[in-house]
């Protein structure tokens, strides 16, 4: 006889399974049947917690947002905005390595879902993340730590793109990398682009 799990536990279990499905197979494989099979329950049990695939993906995006913002907040330990950017880069790489179903991979996979509500929700999440990065870049410009002619919005997009592209490549290599080693190389590339000395 199957024991019913609490709503919070079951919903988190479903989110974890969806992350796994998206990062390993793609968004098109996120179905109620696939989720039920992975959990070892019935489709009806899944429908007790969610009305539709949209509801499931909405919860997933909320979970991704919480994960991303927590990692970002925890990396902000310094007064120096460049050091905070450097910390964020390392935090994102470590998160990818440890979780193997990283937020960026999941977000990009979920973007393929054609539902306008889900796409809008993901866009808001990405914009929120970019605004936080842009604010650090603006602070660095104000302190004279990087070139004044740098476009903060584009620099924030490049920062996110640097993380996204590296993590995407490593996801195909089963996350076989050492975050601290890759971090130094990626940070140096980014610093060159925004005009930071390598002492930063």
């Amino acid at each position: 006889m199957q024991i019913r799990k609490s709503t919070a536990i079951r919903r988190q279990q479903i989110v974890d399974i969806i992350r796994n499905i998206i990062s390993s197979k793609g968004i098109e494989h996120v179905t109620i049947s696939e989720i039920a099979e992975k959990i070892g329950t019935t489709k009806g049990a899944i429908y007790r917690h969610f009305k539709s695939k949209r509801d499931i993906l909405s919860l997933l995006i909320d979970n991704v947002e919480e994960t991303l913002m927590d990692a970002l907040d925890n990396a902000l330990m310094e007064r120096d905005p460049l050091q905070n950017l450097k910390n964020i880069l390392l935090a994102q790489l470590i998160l990818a390595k440890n979780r193997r179903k990283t937020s960026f991979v999941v977000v990009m996979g979920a973007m393929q879902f054609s539902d306008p509500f889900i796409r809008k929700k993901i866009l808001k999440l990405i914009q929120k993340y970019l605004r936080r990065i842009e604010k650090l870049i603006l602070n660095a410009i104000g302190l004279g730590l990087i070139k004044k002619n740098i476009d903060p919005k584009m620099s924030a997009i490049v920062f996110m793109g640097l993380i996204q592209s590296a993590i995407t490549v490593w996801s195909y290599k089963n996350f076989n990398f050492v975050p601290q080693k890759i971090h130094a190389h990626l940070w140096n590339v980014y610093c060159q682009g925004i005009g930071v000395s390598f002492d930063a």
Side-chain angles (χ1 to χ4, degrees):
M1 182 171 158
Q2 195 174 31
I3 299 171
R4 256 193 201 180
K5 295 192 177 184
S6 76
T7 299
I9 291 171
R10 180 63 81 191
R11 287 170 74 94
Q12 185 57 51
Q13 186 181 27
I14 291 168
V15 164
D16 292 341
I17 284 171
I18 294 167
R19 280 177 172 264
N20 189 327
I21 294 169
I22 290 174
S23 64
S24 64
K25 295 182 176 182
I27 190 75
E28 65 275 5
H29 292 278
V30 176
T31 63
I32 301 298
S33 297
E34 179 79 9
I35 294 166
E37 181 182 322
K38 295 274 186 197
I39 291 177
T41 191
T42 65
K43 290 194 291 185
I46 303 298
Y47 281 118
R48 274 197 294 278
H49 300 283
F50 301 97
K51 294 177 190 159
S52 65
K53 185 173 180 176
R54 173 194 270 188
D55 288 347
I56 293 171
L57 290 176
S58 183
L59 178 66
L60 173 67
I61 295 161
D62 291 342
N63 182 270
V64 166
E65 179 175 358
E66 183 179 332
T67 301
L68 275 176
M69 295 304 141
D70 283 350
L72 203 146
D73 289 339
N74 292 334
L76 299 175
M77 300 182 295
E78 309 289 334
R79 288 182 178 259
D80 178 349
L82 283 179
Q83 185 59 50
N84 283 330
L85 280 172
K86 191 175 183 180
N87 294 347
I88 291 167
L89 177 61
L90 181 58
Q92 293 294 302
L93 296 174
I94 290 171
L95 183 66
K97 176 76 173 178
N98 292 343
R99 293 190 78 181
R100 296 179 182 256
K101 297 164 205 72
T102 183
S103 299
F104 282 127
V105 172
V106 171
V107 165
M108 293 308 137
M111 280 296 285
Q112 297 173 24
F113 190 55
S114 61
D115 184 295
F117 172 79
I118 294 299
R119 293 179 65 83
K120 186 175 182 179
K121 191 165 184 161
I122 292 170
L123 179 60
K124 283 182 179 180
L125 166 58
I126 291 169
Q127 288 171 332
K128 181 178 181 180
Y129 182 86
L130 290 174
R131 280 192 304 273
R132 300 273 310 266
I133 300 303
E134 183 183 352
K135 183 177 177 185
L136 290 170
I137 293 167
L138 283 166
N139 289 342
I141 291 170
L143 293 170
L145 299 173
I146 60 178
K147 294 188 277 187
K148 298 240 182 249
N149 65 343
I150 290 294
D151 180 335
K153 284 188 189 308
M154 290 308 294
S155 297
I157 291 170
V158 169
F159 184 83
M160 182 178 170
L162 185 70
I163 297 168
Q164 174 63 35
S165 58
I167 290 172
T168 299
V169 168
W170 295 320
S171 72
Y172 290 109
K173 296 180 178 184
N174 201 24
F175 293 92
N176 188 17
F177 71 99
V178 177
Q180 293 78 359
K181 286 184 182 179
I182 300 302
H183 174 254
H185 296 297
L186 291 176
W187 181 247
N188 287 340
V189 168
Y190 188 70
C191 285
Q192 286 177 359
I194 61 173
V196 176
S197 72
F198 285 105
D199 298 333

